[in-house]
Amino acid sequence: MNAVIRTEDLVKRFGHVTALDHLNLEVSQGETHGFLGPNGAGKSTTIRVLLGMLRSDEGRAELFGADPWKHAAELHRRLAYVPGDVALWPGLSGGETIDLLGRLRGGIDKAKRDELLERFDLDPRKKGRSYSKGNRQKVALVAAFAADVDLLLLDEPTSGLDPLMGAVFNECVKEASAQGRTVLLSSHIMSEVEALCDRVSIIRKGVIAESGSLAEMRHFSRSRLRATLKNPVRGLEDHDGVHGLKTDGLDVECDVDTAALDDVLAQLAVAGVAALTCEPPSLEQIFLRFYGDELAASGVTNGEGNGS
Ligand code: ADP
Ligand code: MG
C-alpha cells in the first residue's frame, strides 16, 4: 500500500516535556484517517512536524515519501492545512485570503469555491480582522476544500463551528474522500471520527496506543446485549466472555466479548428470546479502554466537543 503519511519512531521534546515519544503513524493514499486523543496527547505536534513547521529530535517523518523539514515548499503545493484556531491576514478579505491560499497550493477550483461559500454561508467580502472565530474557520475550510491538493491535514478543524456547519463539514470530507484525497483528521469528538473515518489511530501521551479500522477495533471489543427472555437463563454469569451481567426477572443485560457472542446467543435461545438488541461498541467505548480513569472527570468524550 501507498503511504502518504508515515512516521517512524518520531520523537519531539519541548525542554523536559516529551510531546512525541516514538510515534508510529501510517496513513495510506485515499484513506480518511482519524487521529484521536484528548488535549495534550501530541496531535498538533505530530501535524506540525508533518508540515515542516517543527523539527523532530529523533526518528523519521515522511509525506509522499519526502522529508517535510527539507521539502516543505514542494510538499505544501500538494496539501491543505486547517488548524483549530485559524489566524488570517487582518487586512485581506476572506475571498482574497482564499484565493491567495489557493495560489500557494496547487491551484483552486473557482466553481467549487463559490459553491462552498454558499454551503458554509460565508460572506467573503469582510476583512480578516473582522471575522469571528467560526468565520475564520470557515475561510480556512473553504480554501482547503476548494484547493486542488492530494492531502488534507485537518487539526481539530470544527472547533469553532456550530452543529449545522459541522454537518456541512462532514459532507465536504466525504466528497474529498470520494475524489481520492487523503485526509488526516485530528479530533477529540468521537461522533465526528466515527462518521467519517475508515481507520483510526488513538494517541496517548505521544505514543499510538491503537491503530486500525473501526471494524477491527470493534472486533476486539465488547458488544452491549439486552434481551427479554421467555424463561430464566442459567450459567451466563460463569461465562468468561460475559461482563457486567444484570438480570431483572426475565430481562438480561450484559457486555459480551465478540468471541463469545455465538455461545451467549445459543444459551439465550435455549431459554427462549422474546426481544433482543445487540449493539456494537461505540468508538467512545473503545477509546475509554485506553484512557479510562484519566478522562472520567473531564467530560471530553461526551461526543459534542467543548470547543476548547
Ligand atoms: P494536542 O494537539 O493533542 O492537544 P499538542 O501536540 O499540542 O497536543 O501538545 C503535546 C504536548 O506538547 C503537550 O504537553 C504540550 O503542552 C506540549 N507542547 C506543544 N507545543 C509546545 C511548545 N511550542 N512549547 C512547549 N510545549 C509544547
Ligand atoms: Mg492540538
Side-chain angles (χ1 to χ4, degrees):
M1 270 214 264
N2 230 344
V4 169
I5 298 173
R6 190 200 306 274
T7 76
E8 243 176 68
D9 284 327
L10 197 64
V11 175
K12 178 66 195 174
R13 299 184 197 93
F14 296 104
H16 61 275
V17 175
T18 303
L20 304 180
D21 190 6
H22 297 91
L23 180 117
N24 293 292
L25 176 69
E26 192 166 319
V27 179
S28 305
Q29 190 180 343
E31 187 173 296
T32 299
H33 196 100
F35 195 24
L36 206 55
N39 290 335
K43 302 181 297 297
S44 297
T45 302
T46 305
I47 290 172
R48 288 194 190 112
V49 171
L50 292 172
L51 287 164
M53 291 161 67
L54 284 176
R55 190 171 195 171
S56 60
D57 294 304
E58 290 172 37
R60 278 150 56 108
E62 283 180 359
L63 278 190
F64 302 106
D67 178 346
W69 183 255
K70 293 184 185 143
H71 302 280
E74 298 104 279
L75 290 171
H76 278 245
R77 302 188 70 76
R78 299 184 66 181
L79 68 86
Y81 164 58
V82 179
D85 200 356
V86 173
L88 297 178
W89 292 283
L92 291 188
S93 72
E96 288 166 338
T97 302
I98 289 166
D99 292 344
L100 175 59
L101 286 171
R103 286 199 295 279
L104 295 174
R105 294 168 180 155
I108 195 165
D109 176 341
K110 292 209 163 73
K112 182 82 186 172
R113 173 199 62 194
D114 295 343
E115 177 206 312
L116 288 165
L117 286 171
E118 265 314 90
R119 286 164 74 188
F120 277 106
D121 191 22
L122 178 70
D123 179 353
R125 289 165 303 183
K126 289 196 195 165
K127 295 284 185 213
R129 70 170 72 83
S130 61
Y131 283 119
S132 65
K133 175 173 162 53
N135 282 332
R136 290 198 303 273
Q137 200 80 34
K138 290 180 186 180
V139 169
L141 286 168
V142 170
F145 287 123
D148 184 13
V149 292
D150 302 314
L151 172 65
L152 296 168
L153 290 176
L154 309 176
D155 190 5
E156 310 219 26
T158 57
S159 59
L161 299 185
D162 59 42
L164 200 62
M165 289 302 147
V168 175
F169 168 82
N170 283 7
E171 287 165 20
C172 289
V173 171
K174 285 182 189 161
E175 288 164 16
S177 175
Q179 290 169 326
R181 298 200 172 137
T182 306
V183 182
L184 180 67
L185 171 64
S186 100
S187 182
H188 61 259
I189 305 172
M190 303 292 156
S191 53
E192 183 175 270
V193 172
E194 204 155 24
L196 296 174
C197 297
D198 314 314
R199 290 168 58 83
V200 174
S201 289
I202 295 177
I203 179 172
R204 182 173 192 268
K205 295 182 178 160
V207 186
I208 300 296
E210 172 109 348
S211 189
S213 69
L214 271 170
E216 279 163 3
M217 288 193 181
R218 289 197 170 112
H219 186 75
F220 292 109
S221 200
R222 294 170 186 168
S223 297
R224 181 108 199 115
L225 189 142
R226 291 188 189 86
T228 305
L229 303 174
K230 293 177 182 159
N231 299 289
V233 65
R234 269 181 266 292
L236 271 189
E237 62 277 10
D238 299 329
H239 202 298
D240 282 347
V242 174
H243 310 269
L245 178 68
K246 279 186 222 151
T247 50
D248 178 9
L250 292 172
D251 290 334
V252 177
E253 211 180 306
C254 57
D255 294 319
V256 183
D257 292 343
T258 306
L261 275 174
D262 271 352
D263 267 11
V264 169
L265 290 176
Q267 259 173 294
L268 296 181
V270 168
V273 176
L276 176 75
T277 61
C278 186
E279 288 165 29
S282 66
L283 183 55
E284 179 166 344
Q285 286 163 316
I286 294 167
F287 188 71
L288 284 172
R289 281 217 328 266
F290 295 99
Y291 281 97
D293 303 343
E294 266 175 64
L295 295 186
S298 72
V300 152
T301 62
N302 63 8
E304 298 302 321
N306 51 18
S308 66

